[in-house]
Amino acid sequence: MSRQLDMTSPPDLSRKTGTGPVRSRVPVWRPALPPCNHACPAGENIQAWLSLAQAGHFEAAWQRLVEENPFPAIHGRVCYHPCESGCNRAAVDEAVSIHAIERFLGDEALRLGWRPAPLSCTGGKRVLVVGAGPSGLSCAWHLNRLGHRVEIREAGPLAGGMLRFGIPAYRLPREVLDGEVARLVEAGVTLTLNHKVEDVLRERDEGGFDAVFMAIGAHLAKRVDIPAREAGRILDAVSFLEQASLCVEQGLPPPRLGRRVAIYGGGNTAMDAARTARRLGAEEAMIIYRRDRDHMPAHAFEADEAEEEGIKINWLRSIRHMDESRIEVEEMTLDGDGRPVPTGRIETLEADSLILALGQEVDLTVLETIPGVRVNQEGVVQVGENLMTDVPGLFAGGDMVPSQRTVTIATGHGKKAARHMDAWLRGEHYQKPPSHPLIGHEGLHLWFQTRAPASDQPVMAAAARQDFREIVGGLSEGEARYEASRCYSCGNCFECDGCYGSCPEQAIEKLGAGLGYRVDPARCTGCSACHDQCPCNAIEMEEAR
């Protein structure tokens, strides 16, 4: 007969504590860097706003969040939350569902009309931002908060860039995107649409701008040469998703696909293109990819959701020929390095159209009018650590510079560029403050380990996903507070009073809410009882002086 094991570890009585007639150590409260903060590409202070959310101070939590990331309702839906991959709670049960709480706060702000705290600085410089994608929008937000006057010039008819034209509405509802962009404009940022910047330096000089941030997205599809015996309908995924977005938002005619659609590629864009094709009326949508599931660039849940919706994925297949209604593919195998190798075995698939989802590139023709800007072999702009190009006052970020192309990384670039631009405009140099030491799970003192699984977000049944309604729901207020309470506050005191209650000499004094504790050196024996019980390991024992 099995019995449930006690998860609470017994104290190690063999370890010397250092206490005795002469105190050799004293407790000192030292902050540490939580792994969630460390892993966030947008640089959010996640632990800080989680603490506020746990206490039910939702607007204060949102205010703290938008100090670093202006678009929580967007990121709570489309970020792949690397913060949760680093969460120490995952070593006990499940990571804190940080993205779901972030979405809740963002949605509450839109519902209740929360606005950021008033600006305290004015009289800044004029800055031009080229591109209204996540990087450009983020840079504009932070420059505005730093007191500068910012204008975004966007070539397209609507703001958002790949947020709008690369992410389908069933993942990111357009009212959410529009709501968070509108807040940016209400804060004082000028947004000029249908204005393609072709000569950056001329527009900088004519507009009287003191600096420029280039944030042009990767909207050009990579091409591949597919021999076609007869005219087969071939589209690129970027253009297809853009047309689909305008079809949903503005009622424009959908792209012609036919009854059967094939998508060539294995990334998240390929998954989105296939699922969008089904929603636009295609009876069959299939993905063709050269590698297997373990080597696909798409996130695993994207492929799972696509298959749930009836998308067939043909792994280890490469297209050789296409005609009006058939695609000839060759079966592949993988070598020891995971590279696809042809086998010579051929099969035929039925398809009326083909969507190419093989990656995107940035249109760098704008650089032809800017002497001195370097472009590397990967076709992206070379910038310094401060994201400035070789042209003084000309910065670049997002898809234009060497990096992974995700919404959250682009948002982080915008914030980073804004801080460096602000310093440059003031004739100074921005230096990021040093980080505290990173704390892992092994550094925590989890005396009482409880199993508290993460909250599940409601998901629309696959059979009901016939249109572009959002398929993943949000948390309720109670669920958001519960989920926030699962945070261990790794490395940072949350005033649980454990040290105060455990001290045998009553040497620890409470200073009041938010003020922490103080040690009476006349009473402290250095026994380390406070340190040993501190669940988040916010206390270090240091040599007594």
Side-chain angles (χ1 to χ4, degrees):
M1 179 177 177
S2 61
R3 63 184 181 85
Q4 186 163 349
L5 296 177
D6 185 356
M7 298 176 66
T8 305
S9 304
D12 184 0
L13 301 179
S14 65
R15 183 172 59 84
K16 294 182 179 180
T17 64
T19 188
V22 179
R23 181 181 64 247
S24 62
R25 300 187 302 168
V26 292
V28 177
W29 280 258
R30 293 276 189 251
L33 177 64
C36 55
N37 292 12
H38 178 67
C40 177
E44 294 180 15
N45 189 343
I46 294 171
Q47 190 181 81
W49 59 257
L50 278 180
S51 177
L52 291 166
Q54 176 184 347
H57 304 318
F58 295 131
E59 185 172 0
W62 179 82
Q63 293 283 2
R64 188 64 182 269
L65 204 167
V66 297
E67 289 177 7
E68 310 294 342
N69 181 356
F71 309 119
I74 293 172
H75 282 253
R77 289 169 164 85
V78 305
C79 177
Y80 294 109
H81 37 84
C83 53
E84 296 177 21
S85 298
C87 178
N88 284 331
R89 176 111 206 180
V92 174
D93 42 36
E94 297 176 87
V96 176
S97 190
I98 297 168
H99 76 282
I101 309 168
E102 182 171 21
R103 168 179 167 164
F104 169 80
L105 295 174
D107 287 351
E108 285 291 281
L110 292 173
R111 184 176 69 87
L112 298 173
W114 294 341
R115 293 295 177 264
L119 292 169
S120 59
C121 48
T122 57
K125 303 290 187 177
R126 280 177 51 78
V127 181
L128 171 63
V129 173
V130 182
S135 186
L137 293 170
S138 171
C139 183
W141 170 270
H142 290 288
L143 284 169
N144 175 263
R145 303 301 295 168
L146 290 166
H148 301 287
R149 291 163 291 162
V150 188
E151 179 180 350
I152 304 173
R153 294 182 178 175
E154 163 61 37
L158 297 165
M162 293 303 285
L163 288 171
R164 184 179 301 276
F165 299 122
I167 300 177
Y170 61 79
R171 291 178 57 200
L172 177 58
R174 296 309 183 240
E175 62 271 19
V176 171
L177 173 58
D178 291 338
E180 295 208 310
V181 171
R183 187 188 301 121
L184 183 78
V185 175
E186 291 170 11
V189 173
T190 300
L191 176 61
T192 303
L193 301 172
N194 295 307
H195 184 126
K196 184 175 182 180
V197 174
E198 296 180 337
D199 190 327
V200 173
L201 300 185
R202 178 174 60 80
E203 298 212 16
R204 178 199 63 184
D205 296 340
E206 292 180 354
F209 295 104
D210 300 288
V212 179
F213 180 63
M214 296 190 300
I216 300 172
H219 294 280
L220 298 181
K222 291 183 178 178
R223 306 295 297 181
V224 63
D225 185 19
I226 298 176
R229 288 188 287 267
E230 298 178 30
R233 179 163 177 74
I234 302 178
L235 307 85
D236 69 81
V238 177
S239 299
F240 167 69
L241 289 172
E242 180 175 350
Q243 291 179 57
S245 180
L246 293 173
C247 166
V248 173
E249 292 186 65
Q250 300 184 354
L252 298 181
R256 293 187 299 108
L257 298 173
R259 188 168 62 86
R260 296 162 299 191
V261 181
I263 296 88
Y264 194 25
N268 296 322
T269 300
M271 305 299 164
D272 285 336
R275 298 168 72 181
T276 297
R278 285 294 300 270
R279 285 167 169 79
L280 289 177
E283 295 180 16
E284 298 178 23
M286 62 180 169
I287 291 172
I288 301 169
Y289 182 52
R290 298 183 306 148
R291 294 182 172 88
D292 59 10
R293 177 183 282 268
D294 292 337
H295 293 84
M296 67 177 178
H299 292 85
F301 76 87
E302 293 273 15
D304 293 340
E305 290 181 359
E307 290 179 324
E308 287 174 4
E309 294 180 12
I311 308 299
K312 177 176 173 55
I313 304 179
N314 296 277
W315 305 107
L316 294 167
R317 299 293 187 273
S318 181
I319 296 179
R320 288 291 173 261
H321 297 279
M322 179 182 182
D323 62 22
E324 190 172 2
S325 60
R326 285 184 292 274
I327 297 176
E328 189 177 277
V329 299
E330 182 175 4
E331 185 177 341
M332 312 296 282
T333 187
L334 300 182
D335 64 16
D337 296 322
R339 293 189 296 258
V341 178
T343 64
R345 295 188 291 272
I346 305 296
E347 61 184 53
T348 301
L349 303 174
E350 301 291 327
D352 301 308
S353 57
L354 174 65
I355 299 173
L356 302 178
L358 302 171
Q360 296 86 245
E361 297 174 335
V362 179
D363 182 1
L364 296 179
T365 55
V366 68
L367 301 182
E368 295 173 0
T369 61
I370 309 176
V373 175
R374 289 178 296 149
V375 177
N376 69 13
Q377 294 180 342
E378 284 73 41
V380 290
V381 178
Q382 287 295 107
V383 291
E385 177 60 29
N386 60 356
L387 294 182
M388 188 163 70
T389 68
D390 292 336
V391 177
L394 181 62
F395 295 75
D399 293 347
M400 294 193 75
V401 304
S403 70
Q404 290 181 302
R405 290 175 174 172
T406 71
V407 170
T408 313
I409 287 176
T411 301
H413 280 185
K415 181 179 73 172
K416 179 179 179 180
R419 292 180 176 177
H420 283 289
M421 294 174 79
D422 172 64
W424 184 84
L425 289 165
R426 290 185 285 104
E428 301 174 3
H429 175 74
Y430 173 74
Q431 185 67 44
K432 182 181 177 181
S435 297
H436 297 299
L438 181 65
I439 184 167
H441 172 262
E442 67 285 349
L444 303 179
H445 301 151
L446 302 178
W447 288 94
F448 300 99
Q449 297 187 25
T450 57
R451 177 164 178 78
S455 302
D456 291 327
Q457 294 175 257
V459 179
M460 181 187 294
R465 301 175 196 172
Q466 305 297 325
D467 52 28
F468 287 88
R469 288 177 298 165
E470 187 171 20
I471 64 175
V472 178
L475 300 180
S476 67
E477 178 179 328
E479 290 168 335
R481 288 195 66 174
Y482 161 78
E483 195 58 37
S485 72
R486 298 180 65 246
C487 173
Y488 283 149
S489 191
C490 304
N492 292 277
C493 176
F494 59 98
E495 298 182 357
C496 67
D497 289 347
C499 54
Y500 175 78
S502 66
C503 179
E505 306 298 335
Q506 298 182 338
I508 295 179
E509 175 187 358
K510 295 173 60 175
L511 300 180
L515 300 176
Y517 307 89
R518 179 169 54 206
V519 175
D520 182 352
R523 289 176 174 270
C524 178
T525 65
C527 70
S528 77
C530 55
H531 167 274
D532 292 348
Q533 66 72 45
C534 179
C536 56
N537 196 0
I539 301 174
E540 295 292 339
M541 299 301 296
E542 295 190 352
E543 296 297 321
R545 296 178 181 178

